[in-house]
Amino acid sequence: MKGLAAGIGVVFLSPILIASTGMMLASSADAVQSNGSFSSCLSDIDSDKGAEQVTKILNGTSGKDVHVEGLDLPAEQVPNAATIVAAGLSLDVPKKGQVIALATAMQESRLRNLSYGDRDSLGLFQQRPSQGWGSAEQIRDPTYASEQFYNHLLKVSGWQQMTVTQAAQAVQKSGLPDAYAQWEKLATALQAAIAKTFPGGGDTDQDKQSATTGCAPGQDGSGFGRIPEGSVPKGYSIPKDADPKARKAIAWAMQQLGTLYQWGGSCTNSHGSDPMGRCDCSSLMQQAYAHAGVTLTRTTYTQVGEGKAVSPAHLKPGDLIFSRGSAARPEHVGIYMGEGLVIEAPRTTKPVRITPIKDWTILAARRVL
């Protein structure tokens, strides 16, 4: 493992463009909390066993020497990045988790195993002995530091539904919570390139299952299997403990299933012959809640300011969830239905439908009741 630098080959298919610091997707501190409705299933990591698995993965690399683009100190950074990815693979952490770890290490140390930092911060992730991350010697071990980062990440409920910067901040609790976003593109390309050099190409069981919480599929809507567009998945019913107004809004929205999307449509007669009576994403939200006696504004851009912000890990039936665009100006909205499902009017040519929340990258969530 320590002689890794000469043996790791990384190829980028296109030049890496590091996003500017203006690319900040995280919203308030409420958006990243570590306990919630999605249960945490991971026990503490066995460091000795993990180190053995990481060594096995690293020993299986191809050893092909190629140029590295986008890193200023590749001889030091690539081996550390490889260890982070290998640690993720050994723990069956999905690709997104590996990207989050790489982006975090880029921000905290520029992927260098530092012997110094703010106060007693050390290592790749600038972890602190005084905060319970381990001894100084342990934290300076890249494998141990990586495992500890993943250990904390996988205990953040709903982390896969957060943006990279939200999830990183949930672990790091940095004074610069939006800074991780600038490294997302580089971290994504770095993970993909390094994983290709490992046996099996870096796939994990969780990637194949598309799990979104670090736990078994099911809490993310994947337990319902493929959901035909416009249909209600077998076994779903509106949760009995949902707010009565949320139940009414969800029930009304479900009555629009199968009707075609219409940009700018009012959603006042989605089954009628006039296309403008059909629903777009925000009018579906507005009319669903209107039938529950709750007034919402008309557009996604304004609905993201309705009610109060909630964490993606603390969703309740009836919450509005937003994706595409940015947290401040999202371009899409749906209603969380409970049981890991969302109802939405997706886009032109598509009908109102129910989708698993695992398919959403949640930029913001609002509770309007």
Side-chain angles (χ1 to χ4, degrees):
M1 174 168 36
K2 294 182 180 178
L4 186 63
I8 297 295
V10 181
V11 180
F12 291 155
L13 299 180
S14 60
I16 305 266
L17 299 177
I18 299 178
S20 69
T21 54
M23 182 183 168
M24 296 180 180
L25 300 181
S27 52
S28 68
D30 289 337
V32 283
Q33 300 179 34
S34 61
N35 295 296
S37 57
F38 294 101
S39 63
S40 298
C41 306
L42 188 77
S43 59
D44 288 340
I45 292 167
D46 182 332
S47 296
D48 291 337
K49 183 177 180 181
E52 292 178 7
Q53 292 173 324
V54 170
T55 301
K56 288 180 180 179
I57 293 171
L58 294 176
N59 286 342
T61 57
S62 66
K64 182 181 179 182
D65 291 325
V66 295
H67 296 289
V68 177
E69 296 183 42
L71 298 173
D72 53 356
L73 296 169
E76 181 177 5
Q77 293 167 313
V78 171
N80 289 330
T83 298
I84 291 171
V85 174
L89 292 173
S90 74
L91 299 169
D92 284 335
V93 175
K95 293 176 183 177
K96 181 171 182 179
Q98 298 167 33
V99 170
I100 293 167
L102 290 169
T104 301
M106 280 298 302
Q107 172 58 29
E108 298 293 351
S109 68
R110 297 301 188 270
L111 275 172
R112 296 171 297 157
N113 191 15
L114 300 178
S115 60
Y116 59 88
D118 179 49
R119 287 171 282 190
D120 59 337
S121 299
L122 297 167
L124 293 173
F125 299 93
Q126 289 292 279
Q127 295 157 340
R128 298 178 61 191
S130 64
Q131 299 299 310
W133 287 92
S135 68
E137 182 180 2
Q138 288 174 317
I139 291 171
R140 289 294 314 287
D141 179 343
T143 299
Y144 174 90
S146 300
E147 289 173 343
Q148 288 303 305
F149 179 86
Y150 289 127
N151 191 14
H152 285 72
L153 175 66
L154 294 175
K155 289 180 179 178
V156 175
S157 297
W159 66 269
Q160 272 212 39
Q161 297 156 13
M162 299 177 183
T163 62
V164 167
T165 197
Q166 286 173 340
Q169 174 62 6
V171 175
Q172 299 293 105
K173 298 177 175 61
S174 168
L176 299 171
D178 298 322
Y180 304 102
Q182 64 185 307
W183 304 110
E184 182 172 355
K185 288 186 178 180
L186 187 147
T188 300
L190 190 56
Q191 187 281 334
I194 288 175
K196 289 177 183 176
T197 71
F198 293 152
D203 288 334
T204 71
D205 290 340
Q206 289 208 28
D207 289 322
K208 295 171 184 176
Q209 294 170 343
S210 299
T212 65
T213 62
C215 306
Q219 299 165 349
D220 55 5
S222 61
F224 290 99
R226 181 181 175 276
I227 305 172
E229 289 188 336
S231 68
V232 179
K234 185 177 180 180
Y236 171 79
S237 60
I238 302 173
K240 293 181 180 179
D241 60 351
D243 184 286
K245 291 183 178 180
R247 289 176 60 83
K248 287 183 180 180
I250 294 169
W252 189 88
M254 289 171 66
Q255 293 173 15
Q256 318 315 311
L257 285 170
T259 62
L260 284 177
Y261 175 99
Q262 175 62 50
W263 186 84
S266 65
C267 203
T268 53
N269 188 12
S270 65
H271 294 276
S273 58
D274 181 2
M276 297 311 294
R278 299 173 188 162
C279 310
D280 65 14
C281 65
S282 56
S283 66
L284 178 63
M285 307 298 105
Q286 183 187 49
Q287 291 303 314
Y289 267 107
H291 284 78
V294 177
T295 300
L296 298 182
T297 52
R298 173 62 183 86
T299 70
T300 305
Y301 304 137
T302 55
Q303 288 175 0
V304 74
E306 302 275 6
K308 65 179 181 180
V310 293
S311 165
H314 289 241
L315 294 176
K316 293 183 179 180
D319 288 346
L320 305 185
I321 61 173
F322 298 83
S323 67
R324 307 175 196 164
S326 69
R329 193 171 174 81
E331 298 174 359
H332 187 55
V333 61
I335 298 179
Y336 181 63
M337 304 171 65
E339 299 192 33
L341 298 176
V342 184
I343 189 165
E344 62 171 344
R347 57 184 170 83
T348 302
T349 75
K350 292 292 185 179
V352 175
R353 66 186 184 185
I354 294 171
T355 54
I357 201 169
K358 71 180 181 64
D359 293 343
W360 285 66
T361 297
I362 301 177
L363 301 176
R366 307 293 295 191
R367 185 160 299 150
V368 297
L369 296 176

